[in-house]
Amino acid sequence: MKILFIGSRLFDDISWYTKEKGITSIITESNEHAPNIDLADKHYIVERGMDKPGEIALKEDVDAVIPLIGIDKPLVDVGLLKDKLESENGIPVVAAGYDCAKLAADKYQTKELLLENDIKTPLFRKVDEKYNTDEIKKELPIVLKTPEGQGGSGVKIALNDDDVEEFIKDKDNVFTEEYVEGFEASIEVLRWNNQEISLAPIYKGITTTEGTHPLAKIKQGPLDIGGLDNNSHNKALRSLAEKLAQLVNVEGTMDIDILHDTTKSEDYIIELNTRPSGTRYMTAATTDVYPLCQLVDMACGKWTAKNVEGKMNNYYSAELPVGDFPQDKKIPENKVFDGDVSYVVHGPEHYQRLTLRAPTRDLLNKLIYELVPGYAKENDIQFQ
């Protein structure tokens, strides 16, 4: 089995798995200094875009292609590559097709689709001559967005008139979104060959008018916040995630961003992302299912939703933005949870994150205080 991976930044998440499965791995990467290149059996440094990866897929006669791209903009071109390689060459590409990727990359179009299908999303309006800035300023605080925003870019929580004027200046594609008081969550869904399965909803912290980046927040899994009934609420979110995966006909993996309104006890869908999720370590910690490894199984033709469901476990988990993990503590060689009480460390120097799991919250708290006592005390961490 020979698989071409497009992009090397996330390859260390699954290099151990390709070796375990005896898969020959090839990477294409546009940055010769990018990490993880040497983890593959072979690599090519190529110009940006999907033309060269497509040529190399044919040249190397690969059995499948897996894009490991974590930003939205190139995903539309990935979709075009997928449609071409699959229809003309019979090479499966484990990613969203063009139509799905194009939809997900346009946050305004996504919200229109949600509205058309009676799926709750925060109220939104396009900024145009009929919806002028004076009207917007009457609705503060309000969220301002551009359709192509991602991970905090292209997004502004406007608290005053100056915030509104500054954001919309020199932009002709802004829309507003109702600011929701509550908390953020996300859920990953896997889909291949018309089979889909959603994984565990992950708590990503309360909404704030400061617009704190998700990477700077403490995450918890599974979602069980504010007295919500964990089983029934999470079951409903998983069902909704699978409905969305079917609706947009995604393939590979999709990350769904959710806002929970604590005043109305309602869930709103805000984004669909057809790329590896920033919560993938939390998903793995909570369920024992590694989303990127599942993409490899899809490429190998050995994936079914039923098999994934049968492998899913239930752990308590947390992810902490610790900055620098203590030097006197061991960092696991592979990003794999080794045992019921275990952890992984990921992220670049000075921006490292610690993801942990345990079968009980007491054991989870104990592990946190053993590994990062200073951070735990400073942030008063004690999961109940």
Side-chain angles (χ1 to χ4, degrees), residues 21 38 176 222 262 274 293 309 316 329 371 383:
K21 298 295 181 182
D38 294 334
T176 66
T262 50
T274 57
C293 295
E309 186 76 53
Y316 293 100
K329 306 293 183 182
L371 293 173
F383 299 122

Side-chain angles (χ1 to χ4, degrees), residues 145-371:
K145 291 186 173 184
T146 57
E148 67 278 3
Q150 175 189 343
S153 66
V155 179
K156 175 73 174 180
I157 300 176
L159 304 179
N160 53 52
D161 294 357
D162 289 342
D163 287 343
V164 175
E165 295 288 353
E166 181 183 350
F167 188 85
I168 67 175
K169 183 181 179 181
D170 301 325
K171 295 187 182 76
D172 58 5
N173 60 345
V174 176
F175 68 96
T176 66
E177 183 180 86
E178 174 189 14
Y179 176 74
V180 175
E181 290 190 1
F183 61 79
E184 301 174 55
S186 70
I187 183 170
E188 292 182 72
V189 58
L190 304 169
R191 189 166 188 268
W192 192 246
N193 290 337
N194 296 316
Q195 299 179 51
E196 59 278 326
I197 183 167
S198 52
L199 303 173
I202 301 299
Y203 170 78
K204 299 197 296 186
I206 61 171
T207 57
T208 68
T209 54
E210 289 80 14
T212 306
H213 194 283
L215 293 181
K217 295 182 178 181
I218 294 174
K219 303 178 179 67
Q220 296 180 54
L223 180 63
D224 184 15
I225 305 299
L228 293 171
D229 183 306
N230 183 48
N231 290 329
S232 63
H233 184 254
N234 287 2
K235 184 177 180 180
L237 285 179
R238 290 188 66 199
S239 178
L240 177 58
E242 290 169 6
K243 175 182 177 181
L244 285 165
Q246 294 175 9
L247 178 65
V248 301
N249 193 30
V250 72
E251 289 198 300
T253 181
M254 182 166 72
D255 175 54
I256 301 171
D257 287 342
I258 302 161
L259 283 177
H260 180 81
D261 187 331
T262 50
T263 61
K264 299 178 182 178
S265 294
E266 290 185 335
D267 294 311
Y268 300 103
I269 303 300
I270 53 172
E271 288 186 9
L272 310 177
N273 302 298
T274 57
R275 51 178 163 76
S277 172
T279 61
R280 62 189 180 276
Y281 297 104
M282 283 293 291
T283 297
T286 309
T287 66
D288 218 21
V289 173
Y290 295 79
L292 295 190
C293 295
Q294 296 299 311
L295 304 185
V296 174
D297 289 347
M298 293 174 186
C300 294
K302 298 178 180 179
W303 189 90
T304 68
K306 184 178 180 180
N307 284 345
V308 177
E309 186 76 53
K311 294 176 182 176
M312 287 178 67
N313 287 312
N314 297 291
Y315 290 96
Y316 293 100
S317 62
E319 185 169 296
L320 315 175
V322 295
D324 286 311
F325 188 67
Q327 293 183 354
D328 61 334
K329 306 293 183 182
K330 179 183 177 182
I331 295 181
E333 182 179 353
N334 294 322
K335 294 177 180 177
V336 182
F337 294 93
D338 183 18
D340 290 340
V341 180
S342 54
Y343 64 94
V344 299
V345 179
H346 49 99
E349 187 180 6
H350 307 316
Y351 296 94
Q352 289 180 320
R353 283 166 284 154
L354 170 65
T355 305
L356 321 89
R357 78 171 185 197
T360 68
R361 285 196 174 92
D362 286 343
L363 287 172
L364 181 63
N365 290 327
K366 181 180 178 182
L367 181 60
I368 291 170
Y369 276 84
E370 286 177 356
L371 293 173

Side-chain angles (χ1 to χ4, degrees), residues 72-182:
D72 287 340
K73 191 173 181 180
L75 296 179
V76 176
D77 290 335
V78 168
L80 289 172
L81 175 66
K82 171 188 175 72
D83 294 351
K84 178 181 175 64
L85 284 180
E86 291 186 345
S87 63
E88 297 181 7
N89 306 102
I91 300 174
V93 178
V94 186
Y98 173 76
D99 290 339
C100 179
K102 188 171 183 294
L103 169 72
D106 188 324
K107 308 310 178 189
Y108 188 83
Q109 186 182 355
T110 297
K111 291 176 74 68
E112 287 188 317
L113 179 74
L114 295 172
L115 201 62
E116 290 168 5
N117 288 274
D118 297 319
I119 297 170
K120 293 178 182 177
T121 189
L123 295 175
F124 65 102
R125 295 174 69 180
K126 184 172 288 188
V127 176
D128 55 27
E129 64 275 8
K130 297 178 183 178
Y131 183 33
N132 61 44
T133 55
D134 290 336
E135 291 178 279
I136 297 171
K137 292 171 184 177
K138 294 175 184 177
E139 301 173 7
L140 303 174
I142 195 166
V143 183
L144 303 174
K145 291 186 173 184
T146 57
E148 67 278 3
Q150 175 189 343
S153 66
V155 179
K156 175 73 174 180
I157 300 176
L159 304 179
N160 53 52
D161 294 357
D162 289 342
D163 287 343
V164 175
E165 295 288 353
E166 181 183 350
F167 188 85
I168 67 175
K169 183 181 179 181
D170 301 325
K171 295 187 182 76
D172 58 5
N173 60 345
V174 176
F175 68 96
T176 66
E177 183 180 86
E178 174 189 14
Y179 176 74
V180 175
E181 290 190 1

